[in-house]
Amino acid sequence: MKRSGVTSRRNLRHLQDTKMSGKNLEMRETAARICRDYLHGVWKRVTAENITLKRISGGLSNWLYNVQLPDGAVPIRGEPRQVLLRLYGQVHGERALEGLITESVIFTLLSERRLGPKLHGIFPGGRIEEYIPARPLLTKELSDPTLSTMIGEKMGQIHMMQVPISKEPTWLWDTMAKWLATATDILETVDEVDPRQHDNVYTLRSFDLETEINWFRDLVARGKYPVVFCHNDMQEGNILLRQNSRKTELVVIDFEYCSYNYRGFDIANHFIEWQYDYTEGNYPFFHERTGCGPTQEQKLNFIKSYLRTVQKESQTEEERIMMEIKIFSLASHLFWGLWSIVNAKLSEIPFGYWDYAVCRLKNYQCLKEKFVMSEQSTLHDINRRKVTDTD
């Protein structure tokens, strides 16, 4: 039964891929009509026959296309020569619809502030975005001093935004709670797992994920950490280096996880991404770059750029952020570890989700042990000083 289910999904995917192909006449007519309705100038005269339509991304939730004006068409009022057409898949449930609306609002605000791609139009079922001739950064480029300074500035600009959504830092806890429920069910019921994954599943079952989340939540509750509007996934794949420009320019994309959250999470999560390369061509399709995390000097380079942007430059703030990085690095490993377990069962994208989940959660456990030992050492020193002072 389960194998036939997989076959059915593959057949569905094949039918959808055929229907949504850039060569499909119905798809071309849809794209041309949307561009005529929502763009201006020479776009008013495009047809299914004369546009260039290329599908550039797939999936069951979103379809992305590069739409270009016909050869020889000359823009008359500054309209773009090419755009990115995003079509949403089916939206199920009130929460999904709410998330879609929130993402559209965030995308619009980021576009207006020139922090993300320009928004050309929103229509029922999708939107038209600026097509950016750019490439994502490479993992090794995150440590480049110039680029790191620019990323710190970009993050600061995002953190300064005022967005009309809930300002409470509930997103982190709500998302982990949702993923915990799914991950627990997966680990308890997974049966048709690849035999090569048995060791990974066994390892993951050894983690008491609920206890770890509660422990970390109690840790955060003991302090007072700044809450700002965060990107929450500023890894190299979501930072584009614009090509063919006279100066180096970065564009941040993919706002799926944007929310109000703890400042430290966004910064710590970015630094941890220095250690993961997702361009590996063979299984598990990622490579852990052990020992490639930022040095103290590299962290300070980023932090100083960030603080200049948010206009809070001071040694005190630098030290505060350093402590936040130490604490919220734990959250990054725990968060994406849960994410990976969920996707190991649900995603059809070829990626070593089981391996990645083990990798992130083992790193969480290692950091936690170091953190606890550091806290105990600090407490011991304080008590020793108290005894000395009493004597």
Side-chain angles (χ1 to χ4, degrees):
M1 290 295 290
K2 289 190 177 180
R3 288 185 181 178
S4 64
V6 170
T7 302
S8 297
R9 286 198 299 275
R10 286 175 178 165
N11 289 339
L12 174 62
R13 185 69 171 268
H14 175 72
L15 290 172
Q16 287 178 321
D17 283 345
T18 302
K19 181 179 179 182
M20 304 305 289
S21 166
K23 297 179 181 179
N24 181 272
L25 180 59
E26 183 180 352
M27 185 63 245
R28 295 180 64 83
E29 289 176 343
T30 298
R33 174 180 54 76
I34 292 171
C35 289
R36 284 197 304 270
D37 290 348
Y38 289 88
L39 296 172
H40 63 280
V42 73
W43 285 97
K44 293 295 183 184
R45 300 195 294 271
V46 300
T47 66
E49 289 73 28
N50 64 19
I51 59 169
T52 297
L53 182 67
K54 298 177 182 177
R55 184 175 174 186
I56 58 177
S57 180
L60 297 176
S61 57
N62 280 262
W63 294 275
L64 303 180
Y65 299 88
N66 173 220
V67 191
Q68 300 180 26
L69 286 172
D71 292 338
V74 180
I76 56 179
R77 285 191 291 163
E79 63 269 30
R81 286 205 58 84
Q82 57 183 330
V83 295
L84 179 72
L85 176 63
R86 181 185 299 272
L87 300 178
Y88 306 140
Q90 293 183 345
V91 179
H92 299 287
E94 186 176 334
R95 287 179 65 90
L97 180 60
E98 180 184 343
L100 200 57
I101 293 171
T102 300
E103 184 191 353
S104 294
V105 170
I106 291 170
F107 190 95
T108 303
L109 292 173
L110 288 166
S111 172
E112 290 177 351
R113 289 162 174 74
R114 297 183 179 179
L115 295 177
K118 184 177 181 181
L119 179 65
H120 291 299
I122 294 181
F123 57 90
R127 62 178 180 252
I128 304 174
E129 308 169 11
E130 173 188 11
Y131 180 82
I132 301 175
R135 66 164 178 84
L137 291 181
L138 303 174
T139 308
K140 63 182 180 181
E141 290 178 314
L142 294 177
S143 60
D144 178 274
T146 301
L147 293 177
S148 185
T149 296
M150 294 172 68
I151 296 169
E153 182 180 342
K154 284 288 183 184
M155 185 178 287
Q157 291 170 342
I158 292 173
H159 285 190
M160 291 175 70
M161 289 181 63
Q162 295 297 317
V163 180
I165 58 176
S166 172
K167 306 297 189 292
E168 294 300 312
T170 56
W171 171 85
L172 181 63
W173 312 118
D174 290 347
T175 305
M176 286 204 291
K178 178 179 68 176
W179 287 347
L180 173 65
T182 305
T184 300
D185 181 62
I186 288 172
L187 291 173
E188 287 178 351
T189 60
V190 64
D191 47 11
E192 285 193 8
V193 67
D194 187 318
R196 293 174 297 178
Q197 301 298 341
H198 285 165
D199 288 346
N200 283 332
V201 173
Y202 178 81
T203 299
L204 292 169
R205 283 173 172 163
S206 70
F207 289 98
D208 189 337
L209 295 170
E210 183 174 7
T211 297
E212 298 301 341
I213 291 174
N214 290 335
W215 175 85
F216 180 73
R217 189 163 189 168
D218 288 342
L219 174 65
V220 173
R222 284 157 44 189
K224 189 174 183 181
Y225 304 105
V227 173
V228 296
F229 181 72
C230 293
H231 184 277
N232 293 318
D233 192 20
M234 281 189 71
Q235 47 108 330
E236 66 278 5
N238 292 332
I239 306 171
L240 302 184
L241 179 65
R242 192 187 289 270
Q243 298 171 328
N244 301 321
S245 61
R246 295 179 181 176
K247 62 178 182 179
T248 303
E249 185 178 359
L250 299 181
V251 180
V252 179
I253 61 169
D254 197 345
F255 312 113
E256 178 184 358
Y257 295 104
C258 280
S259 69
Y260 277 87
N261 195 14
Y262 302 100
R263 171 181 70 177
F265 179 91
D266 222 8
I267 300 174
N269 186 70
H270 169 71
F271 283 143
I272 285 178
E273 290 293 352
W274 288 32
Q275 301 175 70
Y276 294 96
D277 185 343
Y278 305 106
T279 61
E280 174 61 45
N282 300 314
Y283 187 89
F285 306 110
F286 75 92
H287 171 64
E288 184 180 14
R289 305 169 71 239
T290 306
C292 289
T295 63
Q296 194 86 343
E297 182 182 353
Q298 289 171 323
K299 289 177 184 176
L300 278 173
N301 174 61
F302 180 98
I303 292 170
K304 287 178 183 292
S305 174
Y306 172 86
L307 289 174
R308 277 196 303 271
T309 304
V310 299
Q311 300 179 353
K312 290 185 178 180
E313 293 178 87
S314 73
Q315 186 174 347
T316 300
E317 277 299 302
E318 290 175 12
E319 292 172 355
R320 284 186 66 187
I321 291 179
M322 282 293 195
M323 178 53 68
E324 290 167 29
I325 291 170
K326 187 176 180 181
I327 291 172
F328 285 97
S329 291
L330 291 160
S332 175
H333 286 307
L334 193 55
F335 184 87
W336 296 112
L338 285 165
W339 168 87
S340 204
I341 295 172
V342 171
N343 279 279
K345 181 69 174 179
L346 303 181
S347 177
E348 295 183 8
I349 297 173
F351 185 74
Y353 290 108
W354 292 115
D355 302 79
Y356 191 68
V358 169
C359 181
R360 296 303 298 259
L361 290 173
K362 280 187 173 180
N363 282 331
Y364 161 81
Q365 200 67 50
C366 182
L367 277 185
K368 179 186 175 183
E369 290 172 3
K370 291 179 180 178
F371 181 83
V372 171
M373 288 179 63
S374 176
E375 275 202 322
Q376 290 174 344
S377 177
T378 301
L379 184 60
H380 175 73
D381 289 343
I382 291 173
N383 290 334
R384 188 174 58 183
R385 283 198 296 270
K386 284 182 179 179
V387 172
T388 302
D389 291 343
T390 302
D391 292 343

